[in-house]
């Protein structure tokens, strides 16, 4: 029989009614044997996610030694969830113990993980399934990365004994034996890891939209839905900010060739988006599959005659970054030019000035220029390589919209064209590209 691992996000589990809806979905298909859950998210737009309330507990603990005030809100949320569900589950003592552990441990990751822990306990009680704690099966190594060699056999062994189980997302155990979380939105990664470990046939990711949309619905009203997308396209789009799915969630399932399906908890009848390994994917008719982007980058533009014949130029430029422990995002280059695109948040408090001085010294460029407040927009699709003139259409669309292109990077995959534009033009630029490839005919 086929097997599905399903992950439910925070908005899908924000209150008792939604948790019941999620449980009904789980039970509707016997293939769904393992459920991974997030902490309760927002119930309405001004609401606060339980994970954010937990980070507030951590702050309160640091300031006062206790978290009575912040934890009271969390307590109320979980009590009302159990109450709405009409569940015979005595959560009071579990909440008392959780508050006591938070105050004793003083570990931000432990504290933040409790939303997933408590929600998974509730979901397990509601389904009548076993609760398997992520701390016993998901491990991180000394570098803080997911330790697959240690984790996969443990997950496989533990879950094969459980038959059906609920696993909390977002956390595991660090190399020091303490609870450690993934980055925000990381329950998507936990779900993917579980799917890979049990060799599932499908990884379902249940959220609050009916699939991956061709661009951010907050920028373009009702963008087209993507029916099928390849892992490669998804990776480019999610890395560039289409955060329906955490950008790292793709890796575990990709290794196991396990397809992902994005589904809407509030409209389970909708088809959703199917994400396929590239070899199982046949490109559809569209040239462009999707558009995504992020604001707040800085571009350092270096020019030097005969740069190309100067051995080690790029290496020296990168070693300046390495020395300052700074990642770069992109490095487009021409014959005598090289640009470094860096997230602006790494360049605060004098770091940028220091970098420029160090580059002048190490590289002796003829010219060095810095552009700040740059947004990157990625236009992604397997169809782009086959269609001559795609970049001309893209640049035309931007220029007609009055958007000035400050940087261009066409990835070597031919799957992605990234343009750097002013932060202030970001929304306008995304709309112009969307209009060109999706609305015009
Ligand atoms: P969950 O709580 O289920 O993990 P998230 O909030 O992390 O859900 O992700 C779903 C949200 O991602 C959507 O509500 C939507 O606002 C946003 N989003 C951003 N880009 C896209 C896109 N291209 N397609 C669909 N949703 C997108
Ligand atoms: N609850 C965590 C967060 O808010 C993890 C997740 O939802 O995936 O980031
Ligand atoms: Mg999410």
């Amino acid at each position: 029989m086929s097997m599905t691992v399903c992950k439910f996000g925070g908005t899908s589990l924000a209150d008792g009614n939604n948790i019941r809806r999620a449980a009904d979905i789980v039970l509707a298909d016997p293939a769904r044997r393992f459920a991974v859950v997030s902490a309760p998210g927002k119930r309405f737009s001004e609401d606060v996610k339980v994970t954010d309330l937990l980070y507030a507990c951590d702050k309160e603990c640091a300031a006062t030694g206790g978290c009575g005030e912040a934890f009271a809100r969390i307590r109320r949320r979980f009590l009302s969830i159990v109450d709405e569900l009409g569940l015979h589950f005595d959560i009071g003592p579990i909440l008392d113990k959780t508050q006591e552990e938070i105050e004793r441990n003083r570990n931000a990751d432990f504290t933040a993980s409790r939303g997933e822990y408590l929600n998974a306990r509730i979901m397990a009680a509601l389904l009548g399934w076993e609760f398997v704690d992520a701390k016993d099966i998901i491990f991180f190594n000394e570098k803080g990365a997911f330790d697959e060699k240690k984790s996969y056999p443990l997950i496989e062994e533990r879950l094969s004994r459980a038959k059906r189980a609920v696993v909390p997302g977002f956390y595991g155990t660090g190399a020091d034996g303490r609870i450690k979380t993934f980055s925000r939105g990381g329950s998507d990664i936990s779900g993917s890891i579980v799917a890979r470990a049990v060799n599932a046939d499908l990884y379902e990711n249940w959220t609050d939209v009916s699939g991956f949309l061709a661009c951010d619905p907050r920028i373009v009203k009702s963008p087209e839905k993507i029916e099928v997308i390849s892992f490669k396209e998804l990776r480019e789009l999610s890395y560039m900010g289409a955060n329906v799915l955490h950008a790292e969630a793709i890796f575990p399932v990709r290794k196991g060739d396990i397809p992902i399906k994005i589904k809407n908890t509030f409209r389970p009848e909708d088809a959703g988006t199917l994400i396929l390994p590239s070899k199982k994917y046949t490109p559809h008719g569209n040239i462009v599959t999707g558009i995504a982007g992020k604001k707040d980058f800085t571009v350092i533009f270096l020019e030097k005659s005969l740069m190309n014949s100067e051995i080690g130029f790029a290496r020296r430029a990168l070693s300046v970054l390495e020395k300052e422990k700074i990642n770069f995002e992109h490095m487009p280059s021409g014959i005598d030019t090289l640009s470094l695109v860096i997230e602006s948040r790494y360049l605060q408090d004098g770091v940028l000035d220091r970098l420029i001085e160090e580059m002048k010294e190490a590289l002796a460029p003829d010219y060095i220029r810095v552009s700040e407040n740059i947004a990157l927009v990625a236009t992604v699709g397997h169809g782009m390589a086959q269609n001559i003139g795609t970049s001309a259409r893209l640049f035309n669309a931007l220029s007609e919209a009055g958007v000035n292109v400050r940087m261009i990077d066409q990835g070597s995959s031919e799957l992605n064209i990234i343009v750097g534009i002013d932060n202030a033009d970001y929304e306008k630029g995304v709309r112009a590209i969307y209009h060109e490839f999706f609305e015009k005919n």
Side-chain angles (χ1 to χ4, degrees), residues 65-358:
C67 62
E69 208 171 298
F71 198 80
R73 288 181 73 181
I74 294 166
R75 183 183 297 274
R76 279 201 297 277
R77 281 208 60 183
F78 281 106
L79 287 174
S80 76
I81 285 174
V82 172
D83 190 46
E84 277 162 10
L85 288 169
L87 195 62
H88 293 292
F89 180 63
D90 192 8
I91 197 168
I94 302 176
L95 289 166
D96 293 340
K97 184 160 178 262
T98 302
Q99 181 179 348
E100 184 271 312
E101 286 174 330
I102 288 175
E103 291 175 344
R104 184 161 38 85
N105 278 329
R106 303 278 186 87
N107 166 7
D109 280 19
F110 173 82
T111 304
S113 73
R114 296 302 88 187
E116 271 71 13
Y117 169 81
L118 292 164
N119 228 16
R121 296 281 311 256
I122 291 173
M123 186 59 124
L126 181 64
L127 291 169
W129 287 12
E130 200 170 328
F131 165 81
V132 173
D133 198 337
K135 82 170 170 35
D136 300 325
I137 53 174
I138 292 186
F139 289 86
F140 296 86
N141 62 24
E142 272 89 25
K143 289 187 178 148
F146 168 60
D147 186 342
E148 47 176 71
K149 280 210 183 72
K150 180 167 182 186
S151 308
Y152 283 144
L154 287 169
I155 304 172
E156 214 255 291
E157 190 279 325
R158 181 67 189 85
L159 293 184
S160 66
R161 276 194 283 128
K163 237 180 123 211
R164 295 182 184 277
V166 179
V167 180
F170 193 36
Y171 71 94
T173 299
D176 60 359
R178 283 153 53 105
I179 294 284
K180 181 174 164 49
T181 65
F182 292 102
S183 56
R184 294 299 305 264
S187 299
D188 291 333
I189 311 175
S190 312
S192 178
I193 288 171
V194 171
R196 164 96 170 97
V198 301
N199 199 14
D201 299 283
L202 181 66
Y203 172 33
E204 283 179 343
N205 195 288
W206 291 83
T207 181
D208 62 347
V209 274
S210 292
F212 221 100
L213 303 169
C215 77
D216 190 333
R218 289 160 295 192
I219 299 178
V220 169
K221 203 164 160 253
S222 316
E224 254 181 47
K225 201 194 81 197
I226 302 173
E227 274 167 32
V228 186
I229 179 172
S230 74
F231 277 165
K232 279 195 180 142
E233 291 172 321
L234 173 82
R235 168 76 182 138
E236 304 273 353
L237 287 170
S238 54
Y239 184 74
M240 284 300 293
N243 49 10
V244 195
L245 200 66
H246 192 293
E248 288 161 38
I250 190 174
F251 297 115
V253 282
R254 188 167 75 179
K255 275 201 188 152
D257 270 348
I258 300 164
I260 310 174
K261 193 145 208 191
I262 308 282
K263 293 277 287 178
N264 188 344
T265 308
F266 305 95
R267 297 179 57 98
E269 65 286 0
D270 286 358
T273 296
L274 184 61
I275 306 163
L276 287 176
S278 301
K279 62 182 176 212
K280 293 190 187 157
Y281 169 84
T282 3
H284 44 73
N286 283 2
I287 299 175
V288 169
T289 302
I291 304 156
K294 286 196 246 184
K295 286 186 181 174
D296 296 326
F297 290 89
T298 296
V299 183
I300 302 177
F301 176 88
L302 297 155
E303 188 173 330
K304 187 171 188 183
S305 304
L306 301 176
M307 176 191 291
N308 258 19
S309 54
E310 185 176 325
I311 290 171
F313 187 90
R315 181 185 51 75
R316 272 180 281 129
L318 296 184
S319 49
V320 172
L321 295 185
E322 196 178 346
K323 193 170 143 236
E324 293 284 344
K325 295 198 168 49
I326 291 173
N327 273 340
F328 71 97
E329 212 70 17
H330 300 278
M331 190 174 61
S333 63
I335 305 176
D336 292 324
T337 61
L338 182 80
S339 302
L340 293 164
V341 184
I342 301 167
E343 277 185 64
S344 304
R345 66 190 165 108
Y346 296 131
L347 302 174
Q348 313 295 312
D349 305 322
V351 176
L352 179 60
D353 292 340
R354 210 161 60 225
L355 270 188
I356 302 296
E357 283 317 306
E358 286 173 24

Side-chain angles (χ1 to χ4, degrees), residues 50-78:
V50 163
T51 308
D52 291 309
L53 294 174
L54 285 159
Y55 282 117
C57 283
D58 187 58
K59 281 215 174 97
E60 192 182 324
C61 274
T64 69
C67 62
E69 208 171 298
F71 198 80
R73 288 181 73 181
I74 294 166
R75 183 183 297 274
R76 279 201 297 277
R77 281 208 60 183
F78 281 106

